[in-house]
Amino acid sequence: MMKKTSGAWRTAVLVSASILGTLLLLSGFVYAVRDVLYPASSLAGLPAAPDAAERAGRETVSLDVTALGDSLAKGTGDDTGSGFARRVVDLLTKQGAKSKLVNNLGINGLTTKELLPMLEEPGVQYALKQAGVILLSIGANDLFDDGQQLETRTEIPTEKELEKAIEGASTNLVKIVKRLHEINPEAQLVYIGLYNPFSDMEQLKEAGDDAVARWNAVAMEAMASLKGGRVAPTADLFTLRAPSYLSGDHFHPNGTGYQAIAERIVQGIAIP
């Protein structure tokens, strides 16, 4: 009787062990499959992927451009018609930013005095408010009269004459910059610094260099006081490259010159 009972127990134990082993194998297999399909701990500690709301917020950040000011803002001298405004948009887009040209409000011959009342026009304000980047080019006509003042005069302007021109125009520039910031305080406002288009003409080089240096110093001071304000310097670009960067009128940039200016502008723009 004991031998039969002992044999029964051994049989029961073996069967139980066999069943338990099978269950363990099955649970291990299920766990392994789950681990492959749904890995959990391998990404622990890494930043979470942005949710839909966050991604949508990033996608709405734009660097749409509005340009305003004188003939350089308009792109005069560029055979392609792009000027620096469209070239800036192209460069920003190539860098992955969302950007388009909202409007180009450049006008040939425009002075600082003439630009001030334009800023109160509803259409102009609308274009400025739609922009993430405002490109401002103004001041050259105040100093050089669209290239005619120095080219047609028999005498080089005196220091007093240049000082007077700079003094009046700089007061207007400060007002312009302040008003632009009031109209669109969130935009990146970029002032395109002046260059001396006569740097390769010996009789006009010194006077032109002096006027440009004085004016750019005023612009730097005006822009430094603004959040998001900056100056894109261009004087150095044209000092040694005037013949290859200027159009046939020897005042406005050609396509190559505008491309160099656009690249300089983009270097100072904050891209989200």
Side-chain angles (χ1 to χ4, degrees):
M1 184 69 180
M2 288 292 295
K3 289 182 179 179
K4 290 182 180 181
T5 303
S6 177
W9 273 106
R10 281 198 299 271
T11 302
V13 168
L14 289 173
V15 171
S16 298
S18 177
I19 293 172
L20 179 61
T22 302
L23 289 175
L24 287 173
L25 286 173
L26 287 173
S27 64
F29 177 75
V30 170
Y31 180 84
V33 170
R34 180 182 177 184
D35 190 51
V36 170
L37 294 178
Y38 308 104
S41 60
S42 60
L43 299 181
L46 294 180
D51 57 23
E54 186 179 352
R55 288 195 301 270
R58 289 180 183 176
E59 291 171 359
T60 59
V61 176
S62 71
L63 292 175
D64 294 343
V65 172
T66 290
L68 80 161
D70 52 28
S71 52
L72 259 73
K74 184 177 181 180
T76 301
D78 187 350
D79 292 338
T80 69
S82 297
F84 60 66
R86 289 190 180 278
R87 293 172 187 273
V88 164
V89 170
D90 291 342
L91 289 171
L92 289 173
T93 302
K94 287 179 181 178
Q95 293 189 30
K98 180 182 177 184
S99 181
K100 68 177 182 292
L101 184 61
V102 176
N103 209 329
N104 189 325
L105 305 173
I107 299 175
N108 287 341
L110 195 71
T111 64
T112 56
K113 183 179 180 180
E114 294 166 334
L115 177 56
L116 270 171
M118 278 182 57
L119 301 181
E120 305 309 317
E121 297 176 10
V124 172
Q125 291 193 2
Y126 178 82
L128 293 170
K129 289 177 180 178
Q130 305 310 304
V133 177
I134 297 173
L135 303 179
L136 172 64
S137 175
I138 199 71
N141 297 313
D142 296 82
L143 272 61
F144 299 130
D145 194 21
D146 206 24
Q148 299 304 309
Q149 179 177 325
L150 295 182
E151 287 188 318
T152 59
R153 294 183 57 154
T154 57
E155 296 180 358
I156 295 174
T158 66
E159 186 174 343
K160 275 190 175 182
E161 289 173 323
L162 286 172
E163 191 66 40
K164 184 178 180 181
I166 293 170
E167 184 179 347
S170 61
T171 301
N172 293 335
L173 179 63
V174 171
K175 293 178 181 178
I176 289 168
V177 168
K178 181 180 179 181
R179 188 70 184 106
L180 286 172
H181 186 65
E182 290 172 350
I183 294 170
N184 188 345
E186 301 303 320
Q188 298 184 55
L189 176 58
V190 183
Y191 177 79
I192 290 67
L194 298 191
Y195 60 86
N196 179 12
F198 312 108
S199 59
D200 62 335
M201 302 172 67
E202 186 177 349
Q203 72 276 24
L204 300 175
K205 181 179 183 341
E206 187 175 349
D209 284 348
D210 183 61
V212 165
R214 289 166 180 258
W215 178 261
N216 286 337
V218 170
M220 287 285 289
E221 185 176 352
M223 298 301 292
S225 63
L226 295 180
K227 176 187 175 183
R230 62 210 66 188
V231 174
T234 64
D236 61 305
L237 297 175
F238 289 80
T239 298
L240 300 176
R241 301 183 183 89
S244 58
Y245 277 5
L246 291 176
S247 63
D249 63 10
H250 207 280
F251 187 77
H252 298 97
N254 56 23
T256 304
Y258 276 116
Q259 182 66 27
I261 293 175
E263 291 172 359
R264 179 63 58 82
I265 292 171
V266 171
Q267 288 173 7
I269 293 177
I271 302 177

